[in-house]
Amino acid sequence: NAGVTQTPKFQVLKTGQSMTLQCAQDMNHEYMSWYRQDPGMGLRLIHYSVGAGITDQGEVPNGYNVSRSTTEDFPLRLLSAAPSQTSVYFCASSRTSGTEQFFGPGTRLTVL
Amino acid sequence: GENVEQHPSTLSVQEGDSAVIKCTYSDSASNYFPWYKQELGKRPQLIIDIRSNVGEKKDQRIAVTLNKTAKHFSLHITETQPEDSAVYFCAAGLGNTGFQKLVFGTGTRLLVSP
């Protein structure tokens, strides 16, 4: 199993550009989520999904959209990138509530 | 909402010493408390977790204790080794059904010197 995979590893955007961060898991996990990690602030939940077709907002959802058309994939879309979105983004998946969340390798995003 | 505070922000110990990292949480309804280890440039990985119906859990050199009354939980690492050097994050999870939202602490950078 590849576990949780993310692409790209690195990305540089200009202010106002849009892009999609990809996340996939091959563990048949129902729950998937997106976090951002900023220096000194730990990880903060952006959006999450409890199954195909079901998504909800986390702690810091503004400026991001998600969709979950399949169990395996959970892309994160930045609609109009801003410098404040410069961060490391981690996707995670888990089998059920209150079980281990497996993290992907992360995407380092810089917005100029 | 839930707020998790973590101390200290940095911790330096000598190899073989013990290390203790402490976290407090604000929402008494939180019932799941995982600890993650993140090496430089790597993804966070779960090292141990505890649920609210348990007071202590051990896994070899690592232990976690939970005091629900005081709303704090701690990570204990004994006989530290240089490979324990990393950033450690605590988290508190809220929710009995559906997705359990995790609120993370700000991390503790542990440095173990040979």
Side-chain angles (χ1 to χ4, degrees), chain B residues 80-96:
Chain B
T80 54
Q81 301 167 2
E83 50 265 39
D84 293 330
S85 296
V87 179
Y88 292 81
F89 292 96
C90 63
L94 184 63
N96 288 314

Side-chain angles (χ1 to χ4, degrees), chain B residues 29-79:
Chain B
S30 289
N31 53 18
Y32 175 61
F33 306 92
W35 286 87
Y36 284 84
K37 176 183 180 182
Q38 186 177 28
E39 297 176 353
L40 188 62
K42 305 286 188 178
R43 73 191 78 188
Q45 292 191 297
L46 182 75
I47 54 171
I48 196 167
D49 57 11
I50 193 168
R51 301 180 196 284
S52 58
N53 58 348
V54 176
E56 183 176 3
K57 184 177 179 180
K58 288 183 180 179
D59 183 2
Q60 299 183 331
R61 297 186 297 108
I62 294 173
V64 58
T65 58
L66 171 65
N67 183 326
K68 287 192 298 181
T69 302
K71 289 189 281 188
H72 66 70
F73 56 114
S74 301
L75 177 71
H76 304 254
I77 306 174
T78 59
E79 301 173 23

Side-chain angles (χ1 to χ4, degrees), chain A residues 37 40 48 97-98 101 103-104, chain B residues 38 43 51 89 98 100-101:
Chain A
Q37 184 174 36
Y48 65 94
S97 175
Q101 293 199 24
F103 285 84
Chain B
Q38 186 177 28
R43 73 191 78 188
R51 301 180 196 284
F89 292 96
Q100 195 157 45
K101 296 181 183 180

